[in-house]
Amino acid sequence: MKYASELKKQLVSFRKFESVRSCLDVKSDQESYRIHIGAGNWPEMVAEIQRALHPTQVVVAMDETVAELYGSSVLNALRDSGFAAGQLRCPPGESSKSTDMANSWWQELAGQAVDRQAVVIALGGGVVGDLCGFVAATYLRGLKFVQVPTTLLAQVDSSVGGKVGINLPTGKNLVGCFWQPSLVWIDPSVLRTLSEREFSAGMAEVIKYAVLRDDGLLSLLEEHSTQILARETEVMGLLVHRCCAIKADIVQRDPRENNGIRATLNFGHTVGHAIESLTGYKSVLHGEGVAMGMIAEARLAERIGLAPLGLADRLVELVRQYRLPTNLPKFTWEQWHQSMRRDKKNMGQQIAFALPSAWGCVALTRDVSLADVKAIVCG
Amino acid sequence: MKYASELKKQLVSFRKFESVRSCLDVKSDQESYRIHIGAGNWPEMVAEIQRALHPTQVVVAMDETVAELYGSSVLNALRDSGFAAGQLRCPPGESSKSTDMANSWWQELAGQAVDRQAVVIALGGGVVGDLCGFVAATYLRGLKFVQVPTTLLAQVDSSVGGKVGINLPTGKNLVGCFWQPSLVWIDPSVLRTLSEREFSAGMAEVIKYAVLRDDGLLSLLEEHSTQILARETEVMGLLVHRCCAIKADIVQRDPRENNGIRATLNFGHTVGHAIESLTGYKSVLHGEGVAMGMIAEARLAERIGLAPLGLADRLVELVRQYRLPTNLPKFTWEQWHQSMRRDKKNMGQQIAFALPSAWGCVALTRDVSLADVKAIVCG
């Protein structure tokens, strides 16, 4: 919490200049790219894309909901700058992350005679970002793409780091690759259009970063919940900036998930994914699963003596403050075990967890006994 | 031709030790990999895969023709080494490089519970190499794969360089990425099972390398056609080694096709691809199109004063020696023009060619007038 006062100073400056914009540069094994954060308008975004990427053509990928909200303003901004802007459309929802939709978008790009100098914009949440990123990565062996995340979850998580992909009937994200965006444009003012439930789900990932890094985020979340829940643009810009900075730092040090650092981003996700899977990806949002999962995994860390007592309770308070569920749904141990055994982090029979040993300190561990796991999820 | 005597010495050594094997190490922006060239047997290949890649599982991808020839020996060699070897199968022919087949192989991998430590072997020609490479590149964000090319074309061209992909109904190789093999295993003795026509088609790409680099390959091709046409394992091993060395050098200096060096590998291909496309990818093999294309493009280079007179005639002799077609099929200028306009090397209205200015010296040029092109293809 050492940076809390500095953070508060920043917050003051955000309030004074509502249009303040911040940047983060992310290095990757492909080209480096810049994340722009701040309230903005679409013509400014188009000007920045033009300046940084000088595309010959621009194609905007979005689902029907986002198209209705922002489609025509973005397309008009592009056309006003002289681009013949194409479109890729899909229905909203996870079911669009399919091989069928990827195939249909590839054919659309071929039909629109898109060439290697074109840029594709992923305008939307994680589904459109993942699908569009995968299609961009694989069309003509790779087109540049721009992430313009419109949900809180996508702004703080999926738009940074270069993981793109689609689902198979047998599992989520089984097909995909690493493909970095060439630019990320984040406007926190669009968060106002989210439902309360979707906004809270995104806050679960924000809370996760406060466990991963002790850089003042925790006290900001605890002390400014009123402004955050009101989605004030300046405080949201600051929050999103902090989260993206943490994520960018982590993925820069482990771009292809080789050394375990990137796996710490999975705190709360071993149990969270199991909840999502056991409820058929329907009744529980990803962020809600992560919220419950973080609490369960924090309790597990306390149980095995890794985390100090009290950490989990403070986390419960925070999760509750942001209107997220805290209690695990009921399943049999066999169901929990089957589901967690499929986690991609596992090797052999042990179940892997990213567990906190303190606020700001999370590490991947494979040494948790099944008896302890059972006591937590079934206790 | 300065290395001719050295090459002949090498050839002598290849003859003395029929089992001699040679290696080439290729650097890439992903991991580096080794190409093994030489008559070998499958257990040795399996041992090398085990030593270099220590996979947990191995999956062999092949078409029905190759499965019949080598399928059970490769699978047995794997099983004898303790691997639970899976299979991916497709019908022979270009039509397998489809989104449908990629989708079906992804689902197969999911069904076989293949994990990130698995290795996929592409056993076959360019179609299986391209399809299998693309599926490996995109499953679980990238599995290691081994190229085991069984056609001459794949041995000297498609198995090195990391271009993988599939076709869309509207065009070849529109979907794909750069994904380097982790190991390439080339056994020139398998070339004996190729049809005469298929073998000659592969020789077209070998001849192309003799135009790209003046390192003794030309005199080897001119003076040893009897042994080459008899597919003697030692001379074929030497030929394949030379071609892979040239290709590896070129792709190392231009891994993602950015600086024009890699485009020189396209000598003969602007016209060659047009012939393939205008004949519906049926009556003309890729290598046959390249043979006719190289002659047309060499004549074009002479016509515009770039290449010395006589270069094209010497090339015609060589192409004829290896039983490849030398005369262009007849099409209208409109057909030629339409077809060459779609070439991926083009920018704007000009048609791009990789043209020789001497033996061993080829460069990308965009300054050829349509009148000169017309005079060559319609003259």
Side-chain angles (χ1 to χ4, degrees):
Chain A
M1 276 145 285
K2 48 193 166 171
Y3 300 115
S5 60
E6 181 216 316
L7 255 177
K8 280 179 197 161
K9 261 187 258 158
Q10 275 195 34
L11 188 55
V12 171
S13 94
F14 263 84
R15 281 196 188 138
K16 276 201 196 126
F17 309 100
E18 180 148 354
S19 71
V20 155
R21 207 169 273 119
S22 63
C23 288
L24 283 164
D25 286 320
V26 187
K27 284 186 209 111
S28 85
D29 50 355
Q30 297 167 226
E31 283 164 75
S32 299
Y33 59 95
R34 180 163 284 187
I35 307 175
H36 296 262
I37 301 159
N41 53 45
W42 304 121
E44 283 178 81
M45 177 187 80
V46 171
E48 181 57 26
I49 291 173
Q50 200 158 16
R51 194 198 62 75
L53 310 176
H54 24 267
T56 53
Q57 290 165 278
V58 179
V59 179
V60 184
M62 52 196 163
D63 72 19
E64 302 302 343
T65 310
V66 168
E68 202 158 300
L69 284 166
Y70 310 113
S72 50
S73 3
V74 171
L75 289 168
N76 285 340
L78 285 163
R79 285 171 192 148
D80 289 348
S81 295
F83 288 112
Q87 290 183 56
L88 296 169
R89 294 280 200 101
C90 67
E94 188 76 23
S95 62
S96 285
K97 266 178 67 175
S98 64
T99 52
D100 279 354
M101 195 57 70
N103 196 2
S104 126
W105 281 14
W106 284 326
Q107 311 240 22
E108 283 273 344
L109 291 173
Q112 296 177 26
V114 164
D115 69 23
R116 286 177 179 170
Q117 279 74 44
V119 162
V120 188
I121 298 178
L123 177 68
V127 166
V128 163
D130 286 4
L131 168 66
C132 172
F134 178 66
V135 168
T138 49
Y139 191 71
L140 301 181
R141 294 199 189 88
L143 299 179
K144 287 182 177 169
F145 88 114
V146 175
Q147 288 272 23
V148 186
T150 57
T151 66
L152 181 54
L153 192 71
Q155 291 190 348
V156 299
D157 185 24
S158 57
S159 68
V160 177
K163 282 190 179 180
V164 297
I166 54 178
N167 304 327
L168 291 182
T170 32
K172 282 182 76 171
N173 297 319
L174 289 183
V175 171
C177 40
F178 288 96
W179 189 247
Q180 305 297 335
S182 297
L183 195 151
V184 182
W185 183 270
I186 300 180
D187 179 353
S189 73
V190 305
L191 298 175
R192 292 197 182 128
T193 56
L194 297 179
S195 73
E196 196 167 288
R197 191 176 168 201
E198 215 178 348
F199 180 80
S200 284
M203 284 306 299
E205 295 281 353
V206 177
I207 293 170
K208 183 189 76 178
Y209 289 109
V211 183
L212 289 184
R213 291 288 168 93
D214 177 17
D215 68 347
L217 203 47
L218 181 63
S219 62
L220 189 68
L221 289 175
E222 287 179 332
E223 292 163 27
H224 293 80
S225 63
T226 317
Q227 293 103 306
I228 293 170
L229 286 167
R231 310 179 202 176
E232 288 181 9
T233 298
E234 64 273 31
V235 74
M236 290 313 299
L238 181 59
L239 264 193
V240 170
H241 181 107
R242 284 277 146 175
C243 294
C244 287
I246 298 171
K247 175 134 190 196
D249 177 62
I250 289 172
V251 301
Q252 279 175 172
R253 291 192 284 143
D254 187 11
R256 302 219 168 207
E257 251 174 357
N258 294 321
N259 58 22
I261 295 174
R262 192 160 181 160
T264 62
L265 289 165
N266 244 251
F267 170 54
H269 285 62
T270 308
V271 172
H273 281 152
I275 296 171
E276 281 185 274
S277 154
L278 290 168
T279 53
Y281 297 98
K282 285 193 188 101
S283 52
V284 176
L285 295 178
H286 176 71
E288 294 169 341
V290 170
M292 294 183 271
M294 287 192 294
I295 292 170
E297 295 179 15
R299 293 211 190 285
L300 180 63
E302 286 188 14
R303 181 183 172 89
I304 65 172
L306 186 70
L309 291 177
L311 187 145
D313 281 343
R314 192 168 171 194
L315 185 59
V316 169
E317 274 316 298
L318 198 56
V319 164
R320 201 169 276 151
Q321 222 173 340
Y322 289 95
R323 303 166 183 162
L324 284 158
T326 53
N327 295 321
L328 292 184
K330 297 261 172 277
F331 299 107
T332 66
W333 169 239
E334 285 64 38
Q335 289 174 306
W336 282 113
H337 187 211
Q338 275 301 339
S339 183
M340 287 189 283
R341 272 183 57 191
R342 284 197 296 268
D343 194 281
K344 281 185 234 152
K345 297 187 294 300
N346 297 341
M347 289 174 68
Q349 291 306 303
Q350 294 296 84
I351 298 174
F353 291 90
L355 294 184
S357 54
W359 288 98
C361 187
V362 172
L364 185 65
T365 168
R366 302 184 195 279
D367 305 318
V368 182
S369 78
L370 291 180
D372 285 322
V373 179
K374 185 177 174 186
I376 293 295
V377 295
C378 295
Chain B
M1 276 143 281
K2 47 195 167 173
Y3 300 115
S5 60
E6 181 216 317
L7 255 178
K8 280 178 195 164
K9 260 186 255 156
Q10 276 196 33
L11 188 55
V12 171
S13 95
F14 263 86
R15 282 194 186 142
K16 278 202 195 125
F17 309 101
E18 182 147 354
S19 69
V20 155
R21 207 169 272 120
S22 63
C23 288
L24 283 164
D25 286 320
V26 187
K27 284 186 210 112
S28 84
D29 51 354
Q30 297 166 226
E31 283 165 75
S32 299
Y33 58 94
R34 180 163 284 187
I35 308 174
H36 296 262
I37 301 158
N41 53 45
W42 304 120
E44 283 178 82
M45 177 188 79
V46 171
E48 180 57 26
I49 290 174
Q50 201 158 17
R51 193 197 62 74
L53 311 177
H54 24 267
T56 53
Q57 290 165 279
V58 179
V59 179
V60 185
M62 52 197 162
D63 72 19
E64 302 303 342
T65 310
V66 169
E68 201 158 300
L69 284 166
Y70 310 113
S72 50
S73 2
V74 171
L75 290 167
N76 285 339
L78 285 163
R79 283 167 193 151
D80 289 347
S81 295
F83 289 112
Q87 289 183 56
L88 295 170
R89 295 281 199 101
C90 67
E94 187 76 23
S95 62
S96 285
K97 266 177 68 175
S98 65
T99 53
D100 278 354
M101 195 57 70
N103 195 4
S104 127
W105 281 14
W106 283 327
Q107 311 240 22
E108 282 274 343
L109 291 174
Q112 296 177 25
V114 164
D115 69 23
R116 285 178 180 170
Q117 278 74 44
V119 163
V120 189
I121 298 179
L123 178 68
V127 166
V128 163
D130 286 2
L131 168 66
C132 172
F134 178 66
V135 168
T138 49
Y139 192 71
L140 301 181
R141 294 199 190 89
L143 299 178
K144 287 182 178 172
F145 87 114
V146 176
Q147 288 273 24
V148 186
T150 57
T151 66
L152 181 54
L153 192 71
Q155 291 190 348
V156 299
D157 185 25
S158 57
S159 67
V160 177
K163 281 190 181 180
V164 297
I166 53 177
N167 304 328
L168 291 183
T170 31
K172 282 181 76 171
N173 298 319
L174 289 183
V175 171
C177 40
F178 288 96
W179 189 247
Q180 305 297 335
S182 297
L183 196 151
V184 182
W185 183 270
I186 300 180
D187 179 353
S189 73
V190 304
L191 298 176
R192 293 199 181 124
T193 57
L194 296 179
S195 72
E196 196 168 288
R197 191 177 167 200
E198 215 178 348
F199 180 80
S200 284
M203 284 306 298
E205 295 281 353
V206 177
I207 292 170
K208 183 190 76 179
Y209 288 109
V211 183
L212 289 183
R213 291 288 168 94
D214 177 17
D215 70 347
L217 201 48
L218 181 63
S219 62
L220 188 69
L221 290 175
E222 287 180 332
E223 291 163 26
H224 293 80
S225 63
T226 317
Q227 293 103 306
I228 294 170
L229 286 167
R231 311 181 201 176
E232 289 182 8
T233 298
E234 63 273 32
V235 73
M236 290 314 298
L238 180 58
L239 264 193
V240 170
H241 181 106
R242 285 278 145 173
C243 294
C244 286
I246 297 171
K247 175 136 190 195
D249 177 62
I250 289 173
V251 301
Q252 279 174 170
R253 291 193 285 143
D254 187 13
R256 302 217 168 206
E257 251 174 357
N258 294 322
N259 59 23
I261 295 173
R262 192 160 182 160
T264 61
L265 290 165
N266 244 250
F267 170 54
H269 285 62
T270 308
V271 173
H273 280 151
I275 296 171
E276 280 186 274
S277 154
L278 289 167
T279 53
Y281 298 97
K282 286 194 187 101
S283 52
V284 176
L285 296 179
H286 176 70
E288 293 169 341
V290 170
M292 295 183 271
M294 287 192 294
I295 292 170
E297 295 179 15
R299 293 211 190 285
L300 180 63
E302 286 188 14
R303 181 183 173 89
I304 65 172
L306 186 69
L309 291 177
L311 187 146
D313 281 343
R314 194 168 170 194
L315 185 61
V316 169
E317 273 317 298
L318 198 57
V319 164
R320 201 169 276 151
Q321 222 174 340
Y322 288 95
R323 302 167 184 163
L324 284 159
T326 53
N327 295 321
L328 292 184
K330 296 261 174 277
F331 298 107
T332 66
W333 169 239
E334 285 64 37
Q335 289 175 306
W336 282 113
H337 187 210
Q338 275 300 339
S339 184
M340 287 190 283
R341 273 183 57 192
R342 284 198 295 268
D343 194 281
K344 281 186 234 153
K345 297 188 293 301
N346 297 341
M347 289 173 68
Q349 291 305 305
Q350 293 297 85
I351 298 173
F353 291 91
L355 294 184
S357 54
W359 289 97
C361 187
V362 171
L364 185 65
T365 168
R366 302 184 195 279
D367 305 317
V368 182
S369 77
L370 291 180
D372 285 321
V373 180
K374 184 177 174 185
I376 293 295
V377 295
C378 295

